[in-house]
């Protein structure tokens, strides 16, 4: 065992790799023992990070449907709200080309009574009565 008379020199500065606290507070840089740069699994930021929703894709493009058939009420019903309104693109993720075709198909299905114009609870209770 060898001993030296000079004291051991320590480097002064920020801790390497985020093993300790940061100079101005806050969580360690690498998230500590939990892994990922934010402390959570997979490197997701922890705390009050801004929520970034997953990008919606057009279901008609995914299924490679060219023409939207108005005779498929089961498929069309997904794009109508509970009050009977056509859902907007920003909510359903439908592309502009298919949204235009979807609107036409929904109107045709309504005209042939395959889909309702209004919600059942509005028709039954008569909440919105005619002004006559």
């Amino acid at each position: 065992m060898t001993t030296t008379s000079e004291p051991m020199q320590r480097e002064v500065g920020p801790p390497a790799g985020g093993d300790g606290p940061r100079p101005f507070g806050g969580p360690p840089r690498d998230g500590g023992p939990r892994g990922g740069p934010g402390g959570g699994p997979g490197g997701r930021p922890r705390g009050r990070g801004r929520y970034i929703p997953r990008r919606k894709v057009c279901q008609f493009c995914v299924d490679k449907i060219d023409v939207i058939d108005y005779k498929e009420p089961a498929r069309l019903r997904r794009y109508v709200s509970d009050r009977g309104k056509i859902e907007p693109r920003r909510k359903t993720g439908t592309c502009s080309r298919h949204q235009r075709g979807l609107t036409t198909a929904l109107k045709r299905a309504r005209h042939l009574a395959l889909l309702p114009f209004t919600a059942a609870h509005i028709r039954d209770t008569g909440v919105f009565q005619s002004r006559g």
Side-chain angles (χ1 to χ4, degrees):
M1 202 161 156
T2 60
T3 57
T4 58
S5 61
E6 59 189 64
M8 194 170 197
Q9 297 274 333
R10 281 185 88 167
E11 291 184 22
V12 179
D19 294 332
R22 291 173 61 191
F24 299 108
R29 287 191 185 144
D30 284 340
R34 292 180 55 195
R44 281 185 237 119
R46 186 170 47 168
R48 283 188 261 173
R50 182 170 161 86
Y51 171 71
I52 301 170
R54 189 171 170 193
R55 184 171 168 82
K56 298 180 177 106
V57 292
C58 177
Q59 198 58 43
F60 296 107
C61 289
V62 170
D63 296 339
K64 295 181 178 154
I65 296 175
D66 244 1
V67 179
I68 300 172
D69 190 13
Y70 66 92
K71 293 171 276 191
E72 294 183 43
R75 183 185 294 270
L76 298 177
R77 209 174 298 273
R78 291 180 44 207
Y79 300 96
V80 179
S81 71
D82 59 338
R83 299 183 70 85
K85 297 179 178 182
I86 300 172
E87 295 285 5
R89 283 182 56 206
R90 66 178 179 271
K91 191 168 180 186
T92 60
T94 311
C95 69
S96 58
R97 178 173 166 250
H98 283 117
Q99 182 71 25
R100 287 191 295 270
L102 177 67
T103 302
T104 307
L106 283 167
K107 289 176 181 178
R108 286 178 180 167
R110 284 174 175 170
H111 192 74
L112 294 174
L114 298 173
L115 289 175
F117 275 92
T118 59
H121 70 278
I122 294 173
R123 287 193 307 269
D124 294 342
T125 59
V127 173
F128 298 109
Q129 295 179 355
S130 62
R131 299 178 190 169

